[in-house]
Amino acid sequence: MKTKSYLSPDFEAGKHLFMKNIQGSIINMNLIRFRQEADYSEHPDLEPSEKISGRDAYFTYIREAEPFLQASGGEILFIGKGDRFLIGPENEYWDLCLLIRQKSVNDFFSFEQNDAYMKITGHRIAAIEDSRLLPLEEVFI
């Protein structure tokens, strides 16, 4: 039986984030597992002339998405190579971890719904086997 992959947020998850009414910035923690070879079957218009790895397709996505992120007031805080968890399921691993700051939830939604940005998301879809996205709200103690 094939394990379910998570590539995009669903409506209910987006609604839940919006309804939290977070004030101020959020940091999105992204965990990414790459495909061995990028699969552009859903976005042949973006497919490079030669086969590339999922990793290479994802870094193409980052380079092309970053101007849209910055225009929305967001920024990449950290990109790191992943591996197996030190604490967690021993068979679960992630190839890459990203921390992305957005000024607000509304700015995040504006970024995600930008028509020009949407045209390049095929690189992300081609690259990723599975992913997780956890929006983090700062806690003051």
Side-chain angles (χ1 to χ4, degrees):
M1 183 172 123
K2 186 176 182 217
T3 308
K4 180 178 177 178
S5 293
Y6 297 88
L7 303 179
S8 302
D10 65 20
F11 176 79
E12 287 301 317
K15 180 179 170 185
H16 174 77
L17 176 59
F18 182 77
M19 297 302 288
K20 286 177 71 173
N21 197 27
I22 297 172
Q23 301 301 307
S25 67
I26 61 169
I27 296 183
N28 286 317
M29 181 179 72
N30 296 263
L31 298 175
I32 307 294
R33 185 174 309 125
F34 298 126
R35 296 177 195 268
Q36 198 71 12
E37 182 179 293
D39 177 4
Y40 280 93
S41 58
E42 291 183 42
H43 298 275
D45 54 313
L46 295 175
E47 187 169 11
S49 57
E50 295 183 16
K51 298 283 184 193
I52 62 172
S53 68
R55 182 185 188 282
D56 289 344
Y58 194 77
F59 281 103
T60 297
Y61 161 73
I62 289 175
R63 283 190 301 277
E64 292 187 15
E66 192 167 21
F68 298 108
L69 177 66
Q70 290 172 344
S72 71
E75 65 178 314
I76 298 172
L77 300 176
F78 176 82
I79 300 176
K81 182 179 176 185
D83 201 341
R84 289 180 26 197
F85 282 106
L86 185 59
I87 299 174
E90 63 187 46
N91 62 343
E92 187 175 328
Y93 72 93
W94 298 98
D95 295 313
L96 200 70
C97 177
L98 294 90
L99 297 175
I100 311 290
R101 181 193 323 269
Q102 286 289 121
K103 289 189 308 186
S104 70
V105 170
N106 285 339
D107 289 324
F108 171 64
F109 284 131
S110 291
F111 163 71
E112 286 285 313
Q113 296 169 2
N114 178 309
D115 289 335
Y117 163 76
M118 293 301 291
K119 291 177 182 174
I120 58 104
T121 59
H123 292 296
R124 182 182 184 282
I125 293 166
I128 293 177
E129 179 181 305
D130 199 5
S131 66
R132 303 291 184 271
L133 173 58
L134 180 62
L136 303 170
E137 178 180 3
E138 190 170 0
V139 174
F140 297 96
I141 54 172

